[in-house]
């Protein structure tokens, strides 16, 4: 297996794992899933995560989001590169307060950086 193939697999696996963890959280568990995904983050992404947690903690209403990745597409990567862009399609279930769950399909765009021998998420944003 080539180094490039290993990189592609590592990028896809990191993006999938990170998106499911970062995109799934509950205000009742104090955003534990986000905390547990820090090992997949660069320092830049970790600071973004701090803001997400702070905003979520400011809301008094119970919120739970479950994200399930349905596909991962490597949109920008050149063999041997130290950066990549990935789009991840997600099926989300959201519960707010006592309301019935809502479901939606959303897409996230992630940029990843190769740090040492592993791939870390440097930015994450929902596109839809």
């Amino acid at each position: 297996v080539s180094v490039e193939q290993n990189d592609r697999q590592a990028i896809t696996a990191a993006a999938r794992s990170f998106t499911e963890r970062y995109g799934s959280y509950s205000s009742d568990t104090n955003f534990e899933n986000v905390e547990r995904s820090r090992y997949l983050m660069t320092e830049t992404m970790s600071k973004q995560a701090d803001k997400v947690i702070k905003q979520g903690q400011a809301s008094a209403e119970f919120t739970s989001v479950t994200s399930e990745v349905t596909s991962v597409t490597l949109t920008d990567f050149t063999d041997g590169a130290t950066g990549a862009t990935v789009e991840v399609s997600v099926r989300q279930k959201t519960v707010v307060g006592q309301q019935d769950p809502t479901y939606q399909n959303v897409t996230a765009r992630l940029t990843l950086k190769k740090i040492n021998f592993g791939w870390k998420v440097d930015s994450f944003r929902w596109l839809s």
Side-chain angles (χ1 to χ4, degrees):
V1 177
S2 69
V3 171
E4 290 78 15
Q5 187 62 32
N6 283 342
D7 274 340
R8 290 174 187 275
Q9 290 171 346
I11 292 163
T12 301
R16 175 181 293 276
S17 179
F18 181 82
T19 301
E20 285 193 347
R21 289 180 183 184
Y22 190 76
S24 299
Y25 56 85
S26 169
S27 56
D28 279 2
T29 60
N30 205 26
F31 302 88
E32 190 176 308
N33 288 11
V34 175
E35 291 294 345
R36 286 187 175 174
S37 63
R38 287 200 190 267
Y39 76 98
L40 290 167
M41 299 180 201
T42 64
E43 186 65 32
T44 301
M45 184 63 221
S46 192
K47 289 176 183 171
Q48 184 180 332
D50 291 341
K51 291 178 186 172
V52 168
I53 292 170
K54 189 173 182 178
Q55 289 168 350
Q57 289 172 336
S59 172
E61 193 165 31
F62 169 77
T63 305
S64 170
V65 178
T66 305
S67 294
E68 182 181 334
V69 171
T70 56
S71 70
V72 178
T73 305
L74 196 52
T75 57
D76 184 19
F77 177 71
T78 305
D79 290 343
T82 57
T85 304
V86 179
E87 288 194 3
V88 181
S89 298
V90 178
R91 177 83 172 144
Q92 280 188 329
K93 173 186 173 185
T94 304
V95 178
V96 178
Q98 297 298 316
Q99 300 171 20
D100 288 337
T102 58
Y103 298 87
Q104 64 180 347
N105 294 316
V106 294
T107 302
R109 179 173 294 141
L110 292 74
T111 59
L112 292 94
K113 284 187 176 177
K114 191 169 192 175
I115 298 178
N116 298 324
F117 298 103
W119 288 90
K120 304 239 184 224
V121 176
D122 195 48
S123 71
F124 177 99
R125 74 181 170 99
W126 295 109
L127 301 178
S128 56

